[in-house]
Amino acid sequence: MSEVTIIGRGATFFDPTNQGTEYKLNDSTIERILPEAFAATLADAKAREKVYAAFNHESNNILGRVRSGTLDVWTDGRGLNYKI
């Protein structure tokens, strides 16, 4: 079986100059992800090791885990990134 690497952005931070960085959840709610949204989890070693990536957000379809070294997560100026 060949090895597959998946790299992407799991969340994009809100940018007031870019309307595409906020998400309308319903008629009265707009979601904006701030740059500090993931800072505490990524800085806390115990919390960070619990982070995992799942196919379709289903916990029985795990693609990778930080703890096992099969997932890396980090932030940059645009959002939360991952490599599985």
Side-chain angles (χ1 to χ4, degrees), residues 64-80:
R65 295 180 185 274
V66 169
R67 178 182 301 151
S68 67
T70 55
L71 170 66
D72 188 18
V73 290
W74 69 96
T75 58
D76 60 17
R78 296 186 64 207
L80 177 73

Side-chain angles (χ1 to χ4, degrees), residues 8 14 17 23 33-34 44 57 61 66 74 82-83:
F14 172 66
T17 65
Y23 311 96
I33 302 171
L34 300 178
D44 181 319
H57 300 274
N61 288 316
V66 169
W74 69 96
Y82 60 87
K83 180 179 179 181

Side-chain angles (χ1 to χ4, degrees), residues 34-46:
L34 300 178
E36 60 272 14
F38 305 103
T41 299
L42 295 180
D44 181 319
K46 286 189 177 197

Side-chain angles (χ1 to χ4, degrees), residues 44-60:
D44 181 319
K46 286 189 177 197
R48 184 185 181 95
E49 74 176 13
K50 294 177 184 178
V51 175
Y52 65 91
F55 181 72
N56 283 339
H57 300 274
E58 295 177 11
S59 60
N60 61 338

Side-chain angles (χ1 to χ4, degrees), residues 25-42:
L25 301 178
N26 56 47
D27 288 338
S28 62
T29 307
I30 294 175
E31 178 182 64
R32 295 176 176 167
I33 302 171
L34 300 178
E36 60 272 14
F38 305 103
T41 299
L42 295 180

Side-chain angles (χ1 to χ4, degrees), residues 2-18:
S2 63
E3 185 174 310
V4 175
T5 301
I6 304 168
I7 301 171
R9 177 166 288 117
T12 300
F13 296 144
F14 172 66
D15 175 354
T17 65
N18 182 348

